[in-house]
C-alpha cells in the first residue's frame, strides 16, 4: 500500500528547510516540466530510510527536491563540506540537518561515516545520497561505477534503500567545469540556465521499489560491493523507461561535460 504523505512528515523538517523546498518547487516549475512516478511505501515513511539517485547534472538536486516535495517527503542530503561551509547557503543547510562528508581526509571521513550511520538510524526524514559521487562522465550519461559508501551506510545502519532514477535535469544547466576559478567559468552555466525556461525541458523522476538486500550479509567480506551492485542496477533499471529513444546517447548535447569513462551498468539494449 502506498500513501502520499504521513500526517506529521512536513512538521518534522526545520522551517528554513521547508521554505527552501517550497522555493525550489517554484524554481523547478519555472525552468521545466516535472513528472514523478513511483511512491514511497507507507510503512517506510517516518522511519530511517536511505534513497540513492543517479547524478546527471548540476540542476538535478533541485529536481530531486521538487520531486520529493511532490510526494510529501522532506529529504536531507549528504553534502560535500565545501557546500556546507559556503557563505549564506552553508549555515542554512547545516541548520536544515544535512550530513557532511569530506572525502579528502581519510581520518575525518571514517569519523563522519560513523556519525552518518548513527544519524541515519534515528532520522525521521529520508537521506539522499549520490553513489556515483559526481556527475557521470559516461558518453551516454549512464551511471558511473560509483563507490560503495552508500551501500555500506545502508548495511551498517540496517535501513531500507529506495533507488531514485532521474532524467532530463541535465538539459537545464551545462556541466560547466570541475572547479570555478573565475567569472568566465560561470558563463556556460548562466547561458544554459537562463535559456532553460524558454526550452522547458522535461524532468522525469522515478522512485523505485526498495532494493532487496536480504541476501547480503553485512559481516561477510565484499558485502558493500554486492549491495552497491544491487543498488546501482536498480537505479539503472528505473532509468531505462525514463529515457526512451535516448538509450545510446542523450538527445541534448552538453559540450562542456567530460565523456572519459564507460558505465558498467549500461544495459545491453543501449549499446
Amino acid at each position: 500500500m502506498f500513501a502520499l504523505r504521513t500526517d506529521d512528515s512536513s512538521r518534522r523538517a526545520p522551517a528554513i528547510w521547508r521554505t527552501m523546498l517550497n522555493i525550489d518547487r517554484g524554481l523547478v516549475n519555472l525552468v521545466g516540466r516535472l513528472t514523478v512516478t513511483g511512491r514511497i511505501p507507507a510503512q517506510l515513511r517516518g522511519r530511517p530510510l536511505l534513497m540513492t539517485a543517479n547524478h546527471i547534472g548540476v540542476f538535478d538536486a533541485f529536481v530531486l527536491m521538487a520531486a520529493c516535495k511532490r510526494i510529501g517527503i522532506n529529504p536531507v542530503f549528504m553534502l560535500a563540506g565545501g557546500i556546507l561551509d559556503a557563505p549564506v547557503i552553508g549555515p542554512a543547510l547545516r541548520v536544515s540537518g544535512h550530513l557532511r562528508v569530506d572525502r579528502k581526509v581519510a581520518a575525518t571521513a571514517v569519523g563522519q561515516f560513523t556519525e552518518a550511520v548513527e544519524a541515519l538510524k534515528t532520522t525521521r526524514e529520508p537521506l539522499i545520497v549520490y553513489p556515483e559521487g559526481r556527475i557521470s562522465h559516461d558518453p551516454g550519461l549512464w551511471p558511473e561505477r560509483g563507490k560503495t559508501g552508500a551501500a555500506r551506510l545502508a548495511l551498517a545502519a540496517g535501513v531500507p534503500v529506495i533507488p531514485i532514477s532521474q532524467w532530463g535535469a541535465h538539459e537545464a544547466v551545462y556541466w560547466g567545469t570541475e572547479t570555478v576559478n573565475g567569472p568566465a567559468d560561470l558563463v556556460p552555466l548562466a547561458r544554459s540556465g537562463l535559456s532553460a525556461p524558454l526550452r522547458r525541458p522535461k524532468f522525469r523522476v522515478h522512485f523505485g521499489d526498495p532494493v532487496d538486500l536480504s541476501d547480503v550479509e553485512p559481516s561477510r567480506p565484499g558485502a558493500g560491493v554486492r549491495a552497491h551492485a544491487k543498488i546501482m542496477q536498480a537505479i539503472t533499471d528505473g532509468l531505462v523507461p525514463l529515457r526512451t529513444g535516448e538509450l545510446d546517447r542523450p538527445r541534448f548535447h552538453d559540450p562542456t561535460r567530460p565523456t572519459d569513462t564507460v558505465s558498467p551498468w549500461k544495459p545491453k539494449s543501449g549499446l
Side-chain angles (χ1 to χ4, degrees):
M1 178 179 178
F2 299 96
L4 286 179
R5 65 190 311 123
T6 56
D7 292 339
D8 59 350
S9 64
S10 292
R11 291 199 297 271
R12 280 196 290 269
I16 189 170
W17 182 230
R18 297 199 307 273
T19 300
M20 293 171 71
L21 287 171
N22 285 327
I23 294 173
D24 171 78
R25 180 170 54 182
L27 173 65
V28 170
N29 289 337
L30 173 66
V31 171
R33 295 161 289 173
L34 174 62
T35 299
V36 180
T37 55
R39 294 288 186 271
I40 304 299
Q43 64 269 24
L44 297 186
R45 289 173 175 260
R47 55 167 289 187
L49 177 66
L50 183 67
M51 302 197 299
T52 56
N54 59 315
H55 206 354
I56 59 175
V58 298
F59 195 68
D60 68 22
F62 297 96
V63 174
L64 285 180
M65 289 160 57
C68 288
K69 191 67 177 177
R70 181 171 293 185
I71 67 170
I73 57 177
N74 299 306
V76 293
F77 287 79
M78 182 167 282
L79 301 175
I83 298 176
L84 294 175
D85 291 336
V88 184
I89 189 67
L93 291 174
R94 291 198 300 271
V95 170
S96 299
H98 300 281
L99 300 185
R100 183 188 189 97
V101 58
D102 291 297
R103 299 186 183 90
K104 294 184 179 179
V105 184
T108 301
V110 171
Q112 289 173 347
F113 179 83
T114 302
E115 292 176 3
V117 170
E118 294 306 311
L120 185 55
K121 287 179 179 179
T122 59
T123 183
R124 304 292 296 275
E125 302 291 351
L127 172 65
I128 294 182
V129 175
Y130 288 112
E132 296 167 85
R134 69 176 186 181
I135 296 168
S136 175
H137 288 199
D138 175 70
L141 205 51
W142 290 100
E144 288 195 320
R145 181 172 299 280
K147 302 180 184 298
T148 62
R152 292 187 293 108
L153 183 60
L155 292 175
V159 302
V161 179
I162 293 289
I164 306 176
S165 308
Q166 61 170 325
W167 190 245
H170 60 290
E171 298 184 21
V173 181
Y174 279 173
W175 180 88
T177 181
E178 194 74 46
T179 58
V180 177
N181 297 310
D185 292 333
L186 298 175
V187 172
L189 284 76
R191 286 178 176 171
S192 56
L194 290 174
S195 68
L198 301 177
R199 295 183 279 109
R200 300 288 291 166
K202 295 180 180 179
F203 307 137
R204 305 177 183 91
V205 178
H206 178 70
F207 294 88
D209 294 331
V211 180
D212 184 5
L213 300 178
S214 61
D215 61 342
V216 179
E217 297 181 28
S219 60
R220 297 193 61 179
V225 174
R226 289 191 293 275
H228 173 70
K230 285 176 171 285
I231 291 170
M232 296 307 297
Q233 190 60 60
I235 293 173
T236 304
D237 290 346
L239 181 58
V240 171
L242 300 185
R243 50 181 297 178
T244 302
E246 300 181 75
L247 293 181
D248 185 33
R249 297 287 181 98
R251 282 193 294 264
F252 181 83
H253 175 61
D254 178 353
T256 69
R257 183 175 64 87
T259 54
D260 54 3
T261 63
V262 177
S263 169
W265 316 110
K266 181 178 180 179
K268 298 297 183 181
S269 60
L271 296 176

